[in-house]
Amino acid sequence: MGSLPPSLDLPPPPSKNPQHERVSETTLFNLFKAQQGHLNYFFQNLDLSQALSFTETLLNSQGTIFFSGVGKSGFVANKISQTLVSLGIRSAFLSPLDALHGDIGALSATDILVLFSKSGSTEELLRLNPCARAKGVYLISVTSVPNNALANACDMNVHLPLERELCPFDLAPVTSTAIQMVFGDTVAIALMGARNLTTDQYAANHPAGRIGKSLIFKVKDVMKKQDELPVCKEGDLIMEQLVELTRKGCGCLLVIDEEYHLLGTFTDGDLRRTLKASGEAIFKLTVGEMCNRKPRTIGPDAMAVEAMQKMESPPSAVQFLPVIDRQNTLIGIVTLHGLVSAGL
């Protein structure tokens, strides 16, 4: 291949700056220790009575809990709102700029508006405040500077004690946003407990992804059944069941009696071991003579994630679990491949 025309030559990779200084392990350790100290200051000085009043106000809300903020505080406010939504609590993020251009129409007199601002002097929030009050909204500020304008203009203020920012100039909001996040998410979990949210309710709000699937999917939702099952009788010759052992893709045979009760399992690993130990005698051996009579099993109503845990448990991992009912009747099989394919 010829070289590219001069006009299409790719630029060379940036050269390493010889003046660039590395971050030492000691420096990083000291920064983490310093941040830990700043966070401890917050925990030690937080007014729990304020935090409790804030939490109870949100818990008793009859409308939507709106959150707002600008810049980094806006990102935190949005995240906390989404956490509440995931818990089944009516919440939304309200951009202060968009609110002043029509979105304030979403507010009603039963709603709460929580305003996050480190300084309490954020111009956009101060402009939003009287407009939101005119809608009858209950206003709460969450700030870190004492006696600020936003706190004085709201119905409630929560002071988040801030020793200083980790930033060497005490400017970049890296500690203030951390305590905002810790405060908001902790309150969210308090609301979760007060509302007695169950795992089923939580799962209903997370139907996609591993979280939802692990809380929703049961064994009966992911198991193979009926014609998909690699079944045989204990009197069947091993060599006559090789096709059944391989074609169902389970890596095993499920040994049953006439009433479909599970008697044991025979795996492709058992086949190799039997062949090695018995040689040509394998042609006369039955599945029942060499099968595992005490295999791990699971019920159809168990959670699928429980099946995966059971497969991986000591003394050795297995690739499948027969699914049986209370009468030991075989009704299905769940495989590790099937669980992984389901996204668990």
Side-chain angles (χ1 to χ4, degrees):
M1 181 181 294
S3 61
L4 294 172
S7 59
L8 297 179
D9 283 344
L10 296 175
S15 60
K16 184 175 181 181
N17 183 357
Q19 303 300 319
H20 178 70
E21 296 182 0
R22 295 180 58 201
V23 176
S24 69
E25 183 176 321
T26 300
T27 299
L28 194 59
F29 175 79
N30 290 337
L31 285 171
F32 278 121
K33 289 292 290 184
Q35 184 75 308
Q36 181 183 36
H38 299 330
L39 294 176
N40 285 340
Y41 177 87
F42 161 73
F43 291 124
Q44 293 164 4
N45 293 278
L46 177 66
D47 187 334
L48 284 179
S49 63
Q50 285 188 356
L52 180 60
S53 295
F54 175 79
T55 305
E56 290 179 336
T57 300
L58 267 56
L59 180 63
N60 296 323
S61 172
Q62 299 300 307
T64 301
I65 304 170
F66 286 91
F67 288 82
S68 190
V70 175
K72 308 301 184 296
S73 293
F75 291 131
V76 174
N78 193 1
K79 190 274 176 189
I80 295 170
S81 172
Q82 291 303 309
T83 298
L84 294 186
V85 170
S86 74
L87 300 178
I89 298 171
R90 280 185 294 166
S91 182
F93 176 75
L94 182 67
S95 163
L97 178 61
D98 293 338
L100 296 177
H101 290 274
D103 284 5
I104 199 170
L107 300 179
S108 68
T110 60
D111 297 333
I112 295 172
L113 177 58
V114 182
L115 306 171
F116 273 81
S117 171
K118 171 188 171 181
S119 66
S121 60
T122 307
E123 181 180 348
E124 293 88 343
L125 297 183
L126 290 172
R127 290 172 58 197
L128 172 61
N129 188 287
C131 303
R133 185 173 293 282
K135 301 280 290 184
V137 176
Y138 189 80
L139 294 164
I140 304 176
S141 60
V142 181
T143 59
S144 289
V145 174
N147 302 317
N148 60 78
L150 188 62
N152 294 332
C154 289
D155 301 301
M156 176 189 292
N157 174 253
V158 179
H159 175 71
L160 302 185
L162 175 65
E163 186 175 32
R164 59 159 290 142
E165 300 286 3
L166 182 64
C167 166
F169 308 123
D170 195 18
L171 294 175
V174 292
T175 303
S176 56
T177 49
I179 64 176
Q180 287 175 344
M181 189 76 78
V182 168
F183 173 77
D185 282 347
T186 303
V187 168
I189 298 305
L191 296 174
M192 179 182 181
R195 292 163 62 95
N196 296 314
L197 189 73
T198 66
T199 54
D200 287 342
Q201 291 171 325
Y202 185 79
N205 297 331
H206 299 78
R210 194 171 188 274
I211 292 178
K213 290 175 180 177
S214 66
L215 293 173
I216 293 176
F217 281 13
K218 294 186 176 182
V219 168
K220 61 185 177 184
D221 298 319
V222 295
M223 70 181 187
K224 294 185 176 184
K225 47 194 171 184
Q226 298 176 349
D227 293 340
E228 299 176 293
L229 302 181
V231 295
C232 70
K233 302 295 176 59
E234 62 178 332
D236 293 339
L237 292 174
I238 292 175
M239 299 308 291
E240 292 178 354
Q241 293 300 317
L242 292 185
V243 174
E244 186 73 3
L245 177 62
T246 58
R247 73 185 181 94
K248 298 293 179 68
C250 297
C252 69
L253 291 170
L254 303 175
V255 188
I256 57 172
D257 63 15
E258 296 297 333
E259 286 76 35
Y260 238 73
H261 295 128
L262 180 69
L263 301 178
T265 61
F266 185 83
T267 69
D268 48 12
D270 293 328
L271 174 63
R272 290 191 295 272
R273 287 185 289 271
T274 302
L275 181 60
K276 183 177 180 180
S278 305
E280 293 184 3
I282 194 173
F283 289 96
K284 298 180 181 180
L285 293 176
T286 64
V287 178
E289 291 177 281
M290 304 305 297
C291 71
N292 175 15
R293 296 278 178 169
K294 294 183 179 180
R296 296 180 206 177
T297 60
I298 198 164
D301 293 318
M303 302 305 296
V305 69
E306 180 185 339
M308 179 170 285
Q309 292 168 352
K310 200 167 187 177
M311 288 182 194
E312 296 172 344
S313 63
S316 60
V318 296
Q319 301 293 311
F320 66 91
L321 292 174
V323 184
I324 58 174
D325 63 16
R326 294 184 179 180
Q327 287 73 44
N328 195 44
T329 302
L330 179 68
I331 57 177
I333 185 173
V334 58
T335 65
L336 182 60
H337 180 269
L339 293 174
V340 173
S341 298
L344 290 164

